[in-house]
Amino acid sequence: MERAKKLAKRIVGADKDPKVQTVSSGDFFKENTQGMTITGFCIDYLRRLFPILGWIGRYNLTWLTGDLIAGLTVGVILIPQSMSYAKVATLPPQYGLYSSFIGVFVYCVCALTNPSHVQDTPLIAVLTRSDLLQFFATSKDVSIGPVAVMSLEVATVIAKVDLKDPGRWTAPEIATTLALFCGFITLGIGLLRVGWIVEFISAPAVAGFMTGSAITIASQQLPGLLGIASRFNTRAAAYFEIIHSFKNLPYCTKDAAFGIVGLFFLYLIQHGTKYLGHRYPKYARTFFFIGTARNGFVIVILTLASYLYCHPRVDKKGNYPIAILKTVPKGFQDVGVFAIDRDLTSAIASELPVATIIMLLEHIAIGKSFGRINGYKIDPNQELVAIGVTNTIGSFFNAYPATGSFSRTAVKAKSGVRTPLAGLFTGVTVIVALYALTDAFFWIPTAGLSAIIIAAVSDLVASPRVIYNFWRVSPLECIIWWAAVLVTVFSSIENGIYTAISASGALLLLRVARPQGQFLGRVLIRRTHGPETVYREVFVPIKTFQPAYGKVLNPHIKVELPAPGVVIFRPEESVVYPNSSLLTGGLVDYIKENTRRGKDMSMVSLADRTWNDPGPRAGHAALSEAQLAKPILKAIVLDFTAVSSIDTTAVQALIDTRADVERWADHEVAFHFCHILSPWIRRGLIAGGFGIASDERKRGGIPIEIVPIAGPQKMEDPESEFYYDALREHPTDEEAAHITDDTEQVQPNRSAASSLSDFEGSLVSQQTPYFHFDISSAVQAAERGGTGDVTMTAGSVAASISSMDKAVMKEV
């Protein structure tokens, strides 16, 4: 085996690697699997899969009261909303109720049973499946069910499929198939624990898509509100709907009386109760519940008015003077085993990405928002499992795709919900409505449902204050918001979501591929504590005088350049393949602009010069006086404070940079690195030949950074990775790090005079002398240029700092 290892190393060239200890793949796996067994992993996975196990044992009467109130409150809102959203999805109203029941119910409980336990009626079957309850939810606030944006997407899919094969499949069949496969996809994402992919879509992009979708939905409901839906296509782009709605205002029917009045009272109750709640804080909770029940109040009044007006005015054909909902089947008459049609599956396949993205994106955004507001953290993967199971099981109830609802979630949160169990009470409320209120649903005016939809989606429109904050934080993201809104309004919601995703991805790539890098100089800061004055050096961008940097730093401070021939550069992003050429190219350009060539090119014959760098002609001066005043490059300090990763392309770019600048300087250039706290960055740089002292790149007089250590170590081992010293007589300064016997971790000093150990050792490995812990020690080593004392105390400031011609800034 050993011979095989040696042969393998010889083949790949590993036998020629420097004998420097670096992190290995084995170390990575040991660190991430320490103390973990297969059994422990499975138990942990199941606990995360069923979060109810963490809180059900502590359930109490107080929690039950809060859940009951919140569940019933959401149920009152959900019943009229679900029928309204079914109208948006171009489905019969009962399918909205099916999706509502299964959404809130399965989100917190999914029952598994033996087929022999299924009873004769669907309701009894649902209520008696109690062999094993599995709870999935991690958010107590989120309410799953039909939502406006998802309903609009379902309507779009139904229209596209029907256009390809007219009349082949019914609208409920298409919607249920869509729910099944969206549920499968989302469930798979959650079980594989890759829910982090939703993080690649920025909040402004989501907000822009939601705003555009809300405007589209409201514009499509406007014809129904005014009773002119039959005069033009109500499934076109939003701008088309708005224009034609205004054109057809003279043709409004009696439906407008019900729709406009209903919309007026919805807003009146909403804003009136909010005002009264602020005006009379003692009764704020009462006014809140009145406001949340406005949908129910308005729909009851409109239904009663519709009955009184329409009942005596039916004609011989059974037509009524206004559009009403008419027959809504009682109970679960449309529930049954769902059969998958392969041709239908192929027909909706191209629509699955958009539908799935809308489903998971809206849900996760809502869950995170309310978790942040109410002081808990959701598990995105677990939430995807929840909505995946919800939609998969919902397909057996002929439900259409459901996801988290912003308006109902807000009401649920404000109603005092305590646990996800509140969804059970909401589900029971919907079941009661399905069995007891369907006769009353017959007389609901469709214009009233349009009013409810318009009032509901108006909450999804971003306020001017939110848009202004987008602009203040990031103008580019504000542009993305506008792009998502405009594309959704003037095209379609599919193009809107694709625009939002593409723009977010493009901005992310732009930030990675075109990062900024700063060339640094010194500033000495004076900080006064009573009679004591403390000095310390900091490194700031040299171009502080430019307007953009003048907003951060005082543009009039005097930034001292490093010693002649030393360049300090700080990348502001990880150095990876999209940006490595930009960063290293900028570094080389700066060096060539601010240092002079090390070789006199006038002494080189034309035949020996490269074609792209001919140099001066024979008989002409090689350098001007201004160029002669520039120093020759000696060392480069790279501050990796903001660098979290580095890849092969970046290491190769650094190697090429080293060759380029050494060719320019005509001698060896030292590369010093600081703030390398990732072992993988250190490993990559060492693989590129950086940081190590070889025959060509000897240590010279580079200082060793010394810190206190815990207890005596073996100081006689010449191959030890770290340097150890004998007993020391004086403690280090306030910047020194201590290693305690208990934690074996670097701890901050308690005071300038405290000490936890009488032994010293090197802070970083002595095998990599060009890797430094902080920028001060890296710059000092670069400026010494291989001369001077070979030891220094970690965190100390060079003794010569007071003699430098620096700006003295008082720290406030």
Side-chain angles (χ1 to χ4, degrees), residues 561-577:
L561 296 176
V566 176
V567 174
I568 309 173
F569 181 66
R570 176 187 294 159
E572 294 185 353
E573 182 61 71
S574 293
V575 187
V576 288
Y577 67 91

Side-chain angles (χ1 to χ4, degrees), residues 719-746:
E719 297 184 359
S720 174
E721 181 179 3
F722 295 96
Y723 168 84
Y724 296 106
D725 202 357
L727 290 172
R728 59 185 173 84
E729 300 177 358
H730 303 288
T732 59
D733 62 14
E734 61 178 354
E735 298 277 336
H738 283 252
I739 305 176
T740 64
D741 295 327
D742 296 331
T743 64
E744 297 185 357
Q745 299 291 327
V746 178

Side-chain angles (χ1 to χ4, degrees), residues 135-156:
F135 289 73
F136 296 99
T138 62
S139 171
K140 67 182 180 62
D141 299 308
V142 173
S143 176
I144 289 186
V147 296
V149 180
M150 195 73 234
S151 299
L152 181 59
E153 174 60 17
V154 170
T156 303

